Amino acid sequence: MLKDRGVDVIFGIPGVHNQEMYRGIEEAGITHVLARHEQGAGFMADGYARATGKPGVAYVITGPGLCNIMTPMGQAYSDSVPMLVISSCLDETAATRGQLHQMKDQEGAARTVCDWSETARTAEAAYALIDRAMDEFWFGPRLPKAVHAPIALLEAPTEKAGAKGLPSVGPAAPDQTALQDLTHWIREARRPLFVFGGGARWMDFVGPSLRRWSAASFMTYAGRGIVMDDDPLCFGALLARPSSADVIGQADLVVAVGTDLSETDLWRNSLGATAKLAVINNNVETLSRLTLSEGNHRLMVHGDCFAAFEFLEEKLADPQQSDWSGDAVADYRRRMRAEIDAERPGIIPVADALKEALPADTMIYSDMTQFAYAAKEIYPMDRPGHWHHPYGFGTLGYALPAAIGGKVGIGDQPCIAILGDYGFQYTVQELAVAVELELTLPIIIWDNGKLGEIEDSMVRAQIAPNAVVQRNPDFCKLAEAYGAAAAAPQDLAAFQHAIKDALKAKGPTIIHVKSDIALQA
């Protein structure tokens, strides 16, 4: 059934409870990737989904397997990633205690970190739930789902699922009346400004239209690359800078496209829109929240962002002038770059060196680490949907398994992982998967010997830093123990050389980078 619905890869770990889910995988022509921990399987499914746009599917066992994948499910939920988790469950739990892998409410536990969680009591119900999930992944919003199947049901004979084609209709078409109003607003605006989020990451065609309308733009971290950084009116991914609120306040029209503008997009309570605000989104909850909290004149456009922008392009074909200044935008970006460099010294030169060393189409997965916090504000993306980060839930240990899943999905396209020295050790065991699959995968470990972000936060809060320094292993020897290659560059030239070598290697390469590398001659 899964193969008929387009599933080519499943990430997971077999166990006695879910072994029946593995019957027929090879005959169906599906690849199974054996993770070393269910958390790793979940992040791999997440990374695969972000890289390919297809749902990431994971298999786990009853109880602890489900609990272990709940962190990736929460990450996928916060970042709107289509993930389908299929788990076994006990046949009954009310009248019996002490069963293997027993928990009080497996279905309810999963429901706390995903869109919905349901238990299938019949084969027909299991088929129907999977089809429901696949349809919702297509129509959106794209959020993780969980389907649980009792062990006895998995072991029982049944008829196979019927064939199912692609949905006959696509995502919801935006309201034409609202779009007509928005067209009028854009035509009248003297300082139009667009904010693009991750929900618009497939829209890599908007730059010419923005230039024709003389519109400025910001992008959330997840939306980077939708507008090129060299666009003269592009403010880049600096939305979370406090001063961006002042810039946005100068706009007489703000159009938010495919973004929730959540706390982790802004790091403040308000976007800063003081005049007209239009929101294009297929999530009614987002539309309601943003149009109630932002702006004086509000317009909700419910539906597919792609279709909405195509409508605007058709109706607004003539060039327009605005009061935005390219020199002012460039000056703002220079000042913010200097501000970021002062906040996190030594990171920007390494990010610049990384950009020079990587091919243009490289897929990047980063973890919760200071290097990523600075780089994702200033790293120039040449296309959208190519830097993936655990934005909302903010889980340590994300990048390595997610990059493995992404690399499995994209094949020969280059892919790298960026982690901190502490976060790497959350999911270090998944390095064995990359070795086993012989994945060409540079893994950059940014080593400052501590939980640097937490230490800085404690100092700002006038708390004596505590429990923020750890003893690290020898990362190069650890790589060798797993069968991976390793490098420990001492300067930026050696760093770039190590990256280029790793992109030609058969198998993963650990690149151990000390946080003071930019200061070395």
Side-chain angles (χ1 to χ4, degrees), residues 240-307:
R241 293 278 115 190
S243 59
S244 74
D246 297 329
V247 175
I248 293 166
Q250 298 172 24
D252 57 358
L253 169 62
V254 177
V255 185
V257 186
T259 174
D260 290 343
L261 294 178
S262 62
E263 179 186 71
T264 52
D265 291 322
L266 300 175
W267 294 112
R268 58 179 182 267
N269 294 327
S270 172
L271 176 63
T274 56
K276 294 178 179 178
L277 173 74
V279 181
I280 305 174
N281 206 297
N282 65 357
N283 190 324
V284 174
E285 178 185 347
T286 297
L287 289 169
S288 177
R289 176 175 58 81
L290 292 180
T291 52
L292 284 174
S293 63
E294 299 280 357
N296 296 321
H297 302 283
R298 310 171 183 95
L299 180 63
M300 293 191 294
V301 182
H302 179 237
D304 180 55
C305 299
F306 194 102

Side-chain angles (χ1 to χ4, degrees), residues 72-88:
M73 290 169 70
Q75 186 63 63
Y77 183 76
S78 68
D79 290 347
S80 298
V81 177
M83 179 196 299
L84 177 60
V85 175
I86 304 177
S87 70
S88 55

Side-chain angles (χ1 to χ4, degrees), residues 188-459:
E188 284 190 332
R190 294 303 304 168
R191 282 180 176 263
L193 185 146
F194 284 74
V195 180
F196 295 98
R201 62 186 173 275
W202 308 113
M203 295 168 52
D204 56 357
F205 58 88
V206 302
S209 295
L210 297 183
R211 289 190 291 274
R212 188 166 65 249
W213 306 333
S214 299
S217 61
F218 274 99
M219 291 163 286
T220 68
Y221 298 137
R224 286 176 302 152
I226 293 173
V227 184
M228 296 296 100
D229 284 80
D230 59 2
D231 188 292
L233 295 182
C234 176
F235 286 97
L238 298 169
L239 198 62
R241 293 278 115 190
S243 59
S244 74
D246 297 329
V247 175
I248 293 166
Q250 298 172 24
D252 57 358
L253 169 62
V254 177
V255 185
V257 186
T259 174
D260 290 343
L261 294 178
S262 62
E263 179 186 71
T264 52
D265 291 322
L266 300 175
W267 294 112
R268 58 179 182 267
N269 294 327
S270 172
L271 176 63
T274 56
K276 294 178 179 178
L277 173 74
V279 181
I280 305 174
N281 206 297
N282 65 357
N283 190 324
V284 174
E285 178 185 347
T286 297
L287 289 169
S288 177
R289 176 175 58 81
L290 292 180
T291 52
L292 284 174
S293 63
E294 299 280 357
N296 296 321
H297 302 283
R298 310 171 183 95
L299 180 63
M300 293 191 294
V301 182
H302 179 237
D304 180 55
C305 299
F306 194 102
F309 216 86
E310 285 186 324
F311 179 96
L312 296 176
E313 286 188 313
E314 180 183 346
K315 299 297 182 182
L316 296 166
D318 297 329
Q320 296 180 209
Q321 297 297 317
S322 80
D323 295 336
W324 291 111
S325 162
D327 290 341
V329 173
D331 178 67
Y332 179 79
R333 294 189 64 158
R334 282 192 296 268
R335 288 188 288 111
M336 292 306 100
R337 183 180 172 93
E339 186 176 283
I340 294 164
D341 193 34
E343 290 173 356
R344 306 185 193 281
I347 292 180
I348 287 182
V350 184
D352 290 342
L354 178 65
K355 177 64 178 179
E356 290 178 6
L358 290 178
D361 61 343
T362 301
M363 190 77 72
I364 301 173
Y365 289 84
S366 60
D367 216 277
M368 301 295 286
T369 175
Q370 287 188 316
F371 180 87
Y373 301 155
K376 61 191 174 71
E377 291 195 274
I378 55 87
Y379 190 93
M381 300 297 296
D382 47 43
R383 63 201 66 198
H386 275 63
W387 187 309
H388 307 292
H389 185 80
Y391 299 105
F393 216 38
T395 54
L396 280 164
Y398 168 82
L400 174 57
I404 290 171
K407 182 62 176 175
V408 168
I410 61 178
D412 292 336
Q413 185 179 337
C415 180
I416 72 167
I418 303 171
L419 306 94
D421 52 332
Y422 194 85
F424 172 68
Q425 297 176 75
Y426 268 52
T427 50
V428 60
Q429 67 276 2
E430 305 306 338
L431 181 59
V433 181
V435 171
E436 193 169 77
L437 299 179
E438 298 183 331
L439 298 180
T440 297
L441 183 64
I443 302 163
I444 300 170
I445 299 176
W446 181 258
D447 183 2
N448 58 10
K450 62 178 72 173
L451 290 166
E453 189 71 10
I454 309 307
E455 180 182 66
D456 292 347
S457 180
M458 285 180 165
V459 170

Side-chain angles (χ1 to χ4, degrees), residues 161-181:
K164 181 178 177 61
L166 291 174
S168 58
V169 294
D175 178 71
Q176 300 291 296
T177 301
L179 284 176
Q180 290 284 8
D181 291 341

Side-chain angles (χ1 to χ4, degrees), residues 55 82 115-116 128-145 164 167 171 282:
D115 187 25
W116 52 257
L129 288 169
I130 290 172
D131 274 339
R132 173 186 167 192
M134 294 298 182
D135 285 346
E136 291 178 11
F137 291 149
W138 177 265
F139 292 115
R142 312 185 84 200
L143 298 169
K145 333 285 184 185
K164 181 178 177 61
N282 65 357

